[in-house]
Amino acid sequence: GYRVKGDYILTQNDIEEKTHHEDATACLTWSIDMHFPEPTNQVVFGEAFRSFAYHRGIEKPYPIPYRCLYSKNISNLFLGGRLISASHVAFSSVRVMRTLGELGEVVGIASSVCQKHNCSPREVYAKYLDELNTAATEFNNSIKDQAEFIKQT
């Protein structure tokens, strides 16, 4: 499959070490949730048609960097929904509807900043990050409130 990479790739280490990013956006709240083939089914049926899940809880919400939401090598491509720049392990925590919905809001707001300034998604990070944060706060206080909560704790 094709994997799009952004200027930043979110990793398991970021989540578990609570790495701070100046471009924090919406927060993930789901545990690291990996699914593996169920070994007994492989032996008994010749196919591991059922999986088992490995959950590794996270202590508190973790904000996703804006740099994970645009392509590193396609200048005008935002990454939204299940297509963000994250390792497979970090993605297991990002992939739930609540988080993806909030990331969609961030991408929508960032695209309006791009339109306003006739700029690329990367330029929003480089030049207009404060404007993105202000617009996100005005649109939906919960997005930036979560990130501010993380910074304070």
Side-chain angles (χ1 to χ4, degrees):
Y2 182 71
R3 180 174 172 190
V4 180
K5 294 180 182 175
D7 278 350
Y8 192 84
I9 299 172
L10 184 69
T11 67
Q12 176 181 0
N13 190 58
D14 290 319
I15 297 167
E16 292 182 338
E17 299 298 322
K18 299 165 196 66
T19 305
H20 172 74
H21 299 280
E22 68 175 352
D23 58 337
T25 64
C27 290
L28 59 83
T29 57
W30 192 251
S31 65
I32 292 174
D33 179 12
M34 301 293 294
H35 294 251
F36 300 98
E38 206 284 324
T40 304
N41 286 341
Q42 180 69 40
V43 172
V44 174
F45 300 106
E47 181 179 324
F49 59 86
R50 191 177 98 192
S51 68
F52 69 94
Y54 165 78
H55 290 272
R56 185 174 179 128
I58 59 174
E59 294 176 19
K60 57 186 177 180
Y62 182 78
I64 298 167
Y66 170 73
R67 290 165 292 153
C68 295
L69 303 179
Y70 61 85
S71 173
K72 181 177 187 167
N73 56 1
I74 303 172
S75 65
N76 66 344
L77 180 63
F78 275 109
L79 308 176
R82 294 174 62 93
L83 193 66
I84 77 161
S85 182
S87 72
H88 72 287
V89 176
F91 178 74
S92 74
S93 184
V94 172
R95 67 179 174 77
V96 296
M97 291 175 64
R98 177 183 179 276
T99 303
L100 296 178
E102 287 188 358
L103 292 175
E105 291 177 357
V106 173
V107 167
I109 294 164
S111 67
S112 71
V113 174
C114 287
Q115 177 70 27
K116 177 180 175 183
H117 296 287
N118 192 27
C119 69
S120 70
R122 180 175 287 114
E123 288 174 297
V124 172
Y125 171 70
K127 299 178 183 176
Y128 305 108
L129 190 58
D130 287 341
E131 184 174 340
L132 172 63
N133 290 338
T134 299
T137 300
E138 291 172 0
F139 177 75
N140 184 349
N141 284 327
S142 70
I143 293 174
K144 292 310 294 180
D145 285 350
Q146 290 177 25
E148 288 301 316
F149 174 76
I150 300 303
K151 290 178 191 175
Q152 294 173 6
T153 57

